[in-house]
Amino acid sequence: QVHLVESGGDSVDAGGSLRLSCAASSVTYDNNCMGWFRQAPGKEREGIAAIVTGGVGTAYADSVKGRFTISKDSAKKTVYLLMNSLKPDDTAMYYCAADFAPCDPFRTVGAGAVGRGTQVTVTS
């Protein structure tokens, strides 16, 4: 059974930072790719970051490149998304994703496994 559990969402002022976490089951984590997508009210899902859990490699959407960092802790089967310099446009529900290929942030939107999401709200 696939389990992805996100945490860390919160309300923050513009310019602030948040770190999201996604805890995965062993089977899910070892499936090689995990990532994050987001969805704001009235907007389409946007894939924003992906990481190779079984090796080395990360990738980002242009909208978050240079501000967001995806990382992993293999011992904990957990993937993180550190978000710096947050903007009101970053306000969205953030979802953790797994079971997708290639390991590309845009593929997270159609991932086979998705968590319940965690809300990020950025106020100006």
Side-chain angles (χ1 to χ4, degrees):
Q1 191 171 2
V2 174
H3 285 292
L4 294 170
V5 180
E6 304 99 330
S7 61
D10 204 345
S11 181
V12 63
D13 291 336
S17 299
L18 281 175
R19 190 180 78 159
L20 307 183
S21 300
C22 175
S25 63
S26 292
V27 171
T28 301
Y29 187 88
D30 293 340
N31 206 21
N32 203 48
C33 290
M34 289 182 62
W36 295 88
F37 68 89
R38 64 187 181 184
Q39 187 166 26
K43 295 187 177 180
E44 294 186 353
R45 293 179 172 185
E46 178 190 17
I48 56 174
I51 188 165
V52 178
T53 54
V56 177
T58 58
Y60 301 92
D62 287 345
S63 59
V64 304
K65 197 174 294 182
R67 299 188 300 124
F68 291 10
T69 302
I70 189 169
S71 62
K72 63 185 180 181
D73 183 331
S74 294
K76 296 181 179 180
K77 308 293 185 188
T78 298
V79 169
Y80 304 97
L81 185 69
L82 175 62
M83 306 184 294
N84 293 324
S85 302
L86 283 162
K87 308 173 183 178
D89 283 350
D90 294 317
T91 295
M93 185 72 81
Y94 284 70
Y95 297 88
C96 181
D99 188 15
F100 59 91
C103 209
D104 180 309
F106 308 111
R107 298 288 184 173
T108 59
V109 173
V114 178
R116 292 179 178 269
T118 186
Q119 178 67 40
V120 172
T121 302
V122 184
T123 55
S124 57

